[in-house]
Amino acid sequence: MACLFIHADKAFAQKSKKKDLENKKKSLLKEIAYTNQLLSETKNNKRISLYQLVSLNKKISTREELIETINNEIDLLENQIGSNKDSIQTLTVSLQQLKEEYAKMIYFAWKNQDAYSRMMYVFASKDFNQAYMRLKYLQQYSEYRHKQALMIEQTEQELNDKVQQLQQKKSDKKDLLSNQISEKQNLTGEKTEQEQVFGELEQKEKQLKKDLSKKQEDAEKLQKAIQKIIEDEIERERAKAKKNNKPSPKGLVLTPEAQKLSNSFASNKGKLPWPVVKGIIVSTYGVHPHPLLKGVTISNNGIDIATNKGALARAVFDGEVTAVGDIPAAGQFIIIRHGEYLSVYANLKDVFVKTGDNVKTKQSIGTVIYDDSDSKTELHLEIWKGQTRMDPSEWIYDASPN
């Protein structure tokens, strides 16, 4: 009985893993399709841009993850095929034994088929008890023979099912291997395109460094704006405390309602909706190498999400608009407070909210700027806890919204 449970648990685990891999593959294929859509917009602009290289890099990494997922599917199928072969072998041996045992029963029944032989077997007993036991034996023997026939039938059916499953899994494996070859060919083509774009962009190193310097200046301005808003709020709380002869607070003071909102925001870590309906992360949080310039690193206070032209930015959670500001030549930004937490949305063209407004989760708050020179639409998102920056990718859904 324990073996049956172990076998059932293993089968369930394999089925669950297969479903997870299939879902992951679907998600990756959607992400690749959406990246292709964004790249097609950049290709309409004959000017090669860094954004095109970044998008290609993203697509290549997603393609590599897709190939790895397919490899995992193949490994899982190979394990299942091996398990099926073992089951078929076990069932074949079991079926042979059942048939041999059943043949002996039939032969015995044939030798003792007439009623006279059976009666003589019973009447030859030494006493009544032995006669009763022999009669019961003949009845049970007949029932057992019937059960044996059913077991043979069931085992044959199970064996046929396992053989069909094996054939299906072999067919699935063949399809996956074909899919794997196709994806590797796509990857080779994308890497060739990546090298071409990389080579053309190397000729524009001076302009790229200038653009990077401007982007870093804009990031610093945004960070100062955020810090000033937090510091101003803390100062107001300190002034209020001083006026009421209370201890000066070290950080943001939360009302019971704000504390409840803060706790709710924290409990939704990893489950917050994306700030756009469709998008892919093209620049991650923290310090990482520049995609082209050797020896140059990029420090990102949040994440950059590429999206389609005309996309709307939306609030990732309920909260109050703390500030709406503007960074010259870099667009507008919105800061929403969620208790102790802040979410920041930058690179906006039009803004639909004002300071003091209460917003709801997924509410549209503005439009994302479309950059004509690079043919890109990119939203910048930051998450803060008080005066501490956090990685937004750890707060939003793991899966892309596509």
Side-chain angles (χ1 to χ4, degrees):
M1 184 65 72
C3 290
L4 288 174
F5 282 125
I6 291 169
H7 181 73
D9 287 344
K10 185 178 179 181
F12 178 78
Q14 287 183 335
K15 188 176 181 180
S16 177
K17 186 177 180 182
K18 181 185 177 185
K19 188 175 181 181
D20 290 343
L21 288 171
E22 287 174 347
N23 289 338
K24 184 178 181 181
K25 187 167 71 174
K26 286 178 184 177
S27 176
L28 291 169
L29 285 168
K30 282 184 179 180
E31 189 169 317
I32 289 170
Y34 186 65
T35 308
N36 281 333
Q37 181 185 332
L38 296 178
L39 277 167
S40 68
E41 291 181 8
T42 65
K43 287 176 182 176
N44 290 333
N45 186 341
K46 293 182 180 180
R47 177 177 175 269
I48 296 294
S49 66
L50 183 63
Y51 175 72
Q52 190 174 341
L53 177 63
V54 169
S55 297
L56 271 170
N57 291 345
K58 176 65 178 176
K59 185 166 72 163
I60 287 169
S61 66
T62 307
R63 183 83 66 188
E64 288 171 339
E65 191 176 355
L66 174 62
I67 291 170
E68 183 184 353
T69 303
I70 293 171
N71 290 339
N72 290 335
E73 281 188 296
I74 292 171
D75 290 342
L76 180 63
L77 268 176
E78 285 178 345
N79 289 334
Q80 290 175 337
I81 287 170
S83 178
N84 265 41
K85 285 181 177 178
D86 291 341
S87 297
I88 288 170
Q89 186 176 0
T90 302
L91 285 168
T92 302
V93 172
S94 177
L95 183 60
Q96 184 62 32
Q97 290 173 345
L98 286 169
K99 285 182 175 180
E100 287 174 0
E101 189 175 345
Y102 188 69
K104 290 177 183 178
M105 289 186 195
I106 294 298
Y107 180 71
F108 177 81
W110 176 78
K111 284 184 67 178
N112 301 279
Q113 61 184 327
D114 60 285
Y116 177 76
S117 298
R118 290 196 294 272
M119 288 182 66
M120 286 301 295
Y121 175 68
V122 174
F123 287 138
S125 304
K126 294 178 181 180
D127 52 35
F128 177 79
N129 285 337
Q130 189 180 44
Y132 176 77
M133 293 298 293
R134 286 187 176 186
L135 186 61
K136 289 295 291 182
Y137 168 75
L138 289 172
Q139 291 174 344
Q140 290 173 355
Y141 188 81
S142 177
E143 290 174 3
Y144 181 69
R145 190 179 68 186
H146 179 67
K147 288 180 180 178
Q148 196 78 350
L150 287 175
M151 284 180 65
I152 290 172
E153 186 179 336
Q154 290 170 358
T155 305
E156 284 180 333
Q157 182 60 50
E158 189 176 354
L159 182 58
N160 289 334
D161 290 344
K162 288 292 181 183
V163 169
Q164 288 178 6
Q165 288 174 17
L166 178 62
Q167 291 172 344
Q168 182 61 51
K169 290 185 191 308
K170 284 183 176 179
S171 176
D172 291 344
K173 181 182 175 182
K174 185 179 178 181
D175 292 342
L176 281 171
L177 288 169
S178 176
N179 193 1
Q180 181 192 55
I181 292 170
S182 176
E183 293 302 338
K184 283 182 177 180
Q185 290 172 344
N186 288 334
L187 181 63
T188 301
E190 287 161 359
K191 285 188 173 181
T192 301
E193 185 180 359
Q194 180 193 43
E195 289 172 5
Q196 291 172 349
V197 172
F198 191 92
E200 291 187 42
L201 284 173
E202 278 186 320
Q203 310 301 318
K204 304 177 181 180
E205 187 173 335
K206 288 183 179 178
Q207 183 60 44
L208 289 172
K209 285 182 176 179
K210 185 178 178 181
D211 293 343
L212 178 61
S213 177
K214 175 67 171 60
K215 190 171 183 179
Q216 287 175 336
E217 285 177 14
D218 292 341
E220 287 173 8
K221 289 176 183 176
L222 181 59
Q223 182 171 327
K224 286 179 181 177
I226 296 167
Q227 289 175 330
K228 187 176 186 310
I229 288 165
I230 297 170
E231 287 167 3
D232 287 348
E233 193 155 343
I234 291 172
E235 280 302 314
R236 284 195 294 271
E237 296 292 345
R238 285 174 178 168
K240 190 187 296 182
K242 185 177 181 181
K243 184 178 179 181
N244 296 324
N245 294 318
K246 291 182 178 180
S248 178
K250 293 181 180 179
L252 292 170
V253 176
L254 303 181
T255 64
E257 292 80 8
Q259 185 62 62
K260 184 178 179 181
L261 181 62
S262 185
N263 294 341
S264 181
F265 187 90
S267 67
N268 277 277
K269 185 175 183 179
K271 296 181 286 187
L272 297 178
W274 280 54
V276 288
V277 175
K278 284 189 173 184
I280 54 171
I281 297 174
V282 289
S283 181
T284 55
Y285 173 81
V287 178
H288 42 86
H290 191 277
L292 179 69
L293 303 173
K294 294 179 181 179
V296 177
T297 57
I298 298 172
S299 180
N300 197 339
N301 295 332
I303 57 174
D304 296 323
I305 301 173
T307 185
N308 51 288
K309 185 177 180 181
L312 298 174
R314 57 186 190 176
V316 296
F317 204 71
D318 295 352
E320 180 184 344
V321 178
T322 302
V324 175
D326 180 75
I327 298 174
Q332 299 186 76
F333 66 86
I334 298 170
I335 301 175
I336 300 174
R337 183 174 174 184
H338 319 276
E340 187 181 7
Y341 294 89
L342 300 169
S343 58
V344 183
Y345 313 78
N347 296 343
L348 300 177
K349 179 184 178 184
D350 301 311
V351 171
F352 308 149
V353 293
K354 61 184 183 300
T355 302
D357 283 353
N358 289 315
V359 295
K360 294 292 183 182
T361 304
K362 293 187 178 182
Q363 179 180 329
S364 296
I365 55 176
T367 56
V368 187
I369 287 177
Y370 173 70
D371 187 338
D372 290 303
S373 60
D374 284 346
S375 298
K376 71 175 182 179
T377 307
E378 197 172 276
L379 176 72
H380 179 73
L381 174 70
E382 296 184 16
I383 302 288
W384 291 63
K385 182 181 181 182
Q387 293 178 287
T388 305
R389 291 190 302 271
M390 313 199 85
D391 184 353
S393 62
E394 295 179 356
W395 286 84
I396 57 177
Y397 291 136
D398 288 339
S400 164
N402 305 314

